[in-house]
Amino acid sequence: MKTNGPFVEAQMLIRKPAASVFQAFIDPEITKNFWFTKSSGQLETGKSVTWEWEMYKVSSTVLVKEIITNEKIALEWDQYSTPVEFLFEATSPETTYVTIKQYGFRTSGDELLAEINGASGGFTTVLDGLKAYLEHGINLNLIADKFAKK
């Protein structure tokens, strides 16, 4: 990752093997248990995939730039036209340290602060949900509840 400017980074230790954690992001049937509700397909290098959050009636398209099995997923997020990297470091046969990085923001001032705040909070919530789902089999509905109507 090369960052020349502001970036977001969120990380979490997941007590599962790297292959399982990696697959949780590649396979939308797993990912929908802790992040989006619907996907147009599995992540594959060179492929664009649309993710939907049906409860909010929003979607986003990502272009998968690079996949290194069990180690890295690099994509370009259309929402901000920014690179995002998911890094998977096997810290033991049964644990994986996941880092999500987003960089290349094209805004400044208050708009940049809002983007960074949203991405930081969003990716942290994703990792919290991932941990609960993979380690305990619990879907906490974190994304659905994050902006629930009062």
Side-chain angles (χ1 to χ4, degrees), residues 120-141:
S120 180
F123 288 136
T124 298
T125 301
V126 167
L127 290 173
D128 293 345
L130 169 72
K131 185 173 185 71
Y133 185 72
L134 289 186
E135 290 184 16
H136 306 286
I138 301 169
N139 180 337
L140 295 175
N141 295 309

Side-chain angles (χ1 to χ4, degrees), residues 79-107:
Q79 185 176 4
Y80 302 110
S81 296
T82 56
V84 178
E85 294 180 353
F86 300 80
L87 305 170
F88 307 89
E89 179 186 351
T91 53
S92 81
E94 296 300 317
T95 59
T96 307
Y97 197 73
V98 181
T99 303
I100 303 174
K101 297 179 181 185
Q102 183 176 9
Y103 52 95
F105 293 96
R106 293 174 169 84
T107 56

Side-chain angles (χ1 to χ4, degrees), residues 19 25 29 34 39-40 58-59 65 79 114 131 134 136 144:
F25 284 94
E29 289 303 309
F34 63 89
S39 175
S40 64
V58 298
S59 66
K65 306 291 264 179
Q79 185 176 4
K131 185 173 185 71
L134 289 186
H136 306 286

Side-chain angles (χ1 to χ4, degrees), residues 8-82:
V8 168
E9 182 173 301
Q11 59 279 324
M12 179 71 69
L13 179 73
I14 307 297
R15 297 180 191 285
K16 289 292 178 182
S20 298
V21 180
F22 177 82
Q23 192 63 29
F25 284 94
I26 293 289
D27 183 351
E29 289 303 309
I30 302 171
T31 319
K32 69 182 183 181
N33 290 290
F34 63 89
W35 197 356
F36 48 74
T37 57
K38 191 175 178 182
S39 175
S40 64
Q42 187 166 301
L43 298 182
E44 298 172 22
T45 301
K47 182 177 177 183
S48 287
V49 176
T50 300
W51 294 334
E52 294 181 44
W53 292 266
E54 296 166 296
M55 70 292 243
Y56 300 123
K57 297 177 179 52
V58 298
S59 66
S60 193
T61 300
V62 297
L63 171 62
V64 182
K65 306 291 264 179
E66 179 184 22
I67 292 178
I68 301 172
T69 303
N70 301 336
E71 293 180 19
K72 179 181 179 180
I73 300 168
L75 52 85
E76 180 136 331
W77 192 291
D78 75 340
Q79 185 176 4
Y80 302 110
S81 296
T82 56

